[in-house]
Amino acid sequence: MNWNNWIRQSHRWLSIAFTVAVIINIVAMVLQQQAVWIGLLALFPLIFMLLSGLYLFALPYLSPRRIAKGSTSAS
């Protein structure tokens, strides 16, 4: 598996972890068992999802094929 596929797959798994953490946070709020670590539980996957999502967003714009295509059409 190459680097881009690894980041894409980890982004998908992080989204599942984030969803589970949000559900745990909602259940804790309903049960009135709010704690700081429960709130931070969803923050950690969210930070890594932000980084990997920004990378995946910029990837098509930074690919060598797109750069080469753009330079040949401008000539």
Side-chain angles (χ1 to χ4, degrees):
M1 188 178 328
N2 66 11
W3 184 252
N4 294 335
N5 287 340
W6 185 83
I7 291 178
R8 190 177 311 274
Q9 190 66 28
S10 64
H11 185 80
R12 290 177 183 150
W13 281 104
L14 283 169
S15 67
I16 293 171
F18 174 71
T19 304
V20 169
V22 168
I23 291 171
I24 290 171
N25 197 359
I26 290 171
V27 168
M29 287 173 55
V30 168
L31 297 175
Q32 297 180 354
Q33 297 291 326
Q34 188 66 349
V36 174
W37 68 271
I38 295 175
L40 292 177
L41 194 64
L43 189 61
F44 293 123
L46 187 62
I47 291 170
F48 291 118
M49 278 179 53
L50 171 69
L51 296 175
S52 62
L54 288 173
Y55 173 77
L56 291 172
F57 177 77
L59 194 60
Y61 298 107
L62 300 176
S63 69
R65 286 177 282 175
R66 184 175 176 97
I67 294 170
K69 190 189 304 182
S71 64
T72 58
S73 64
S75 330

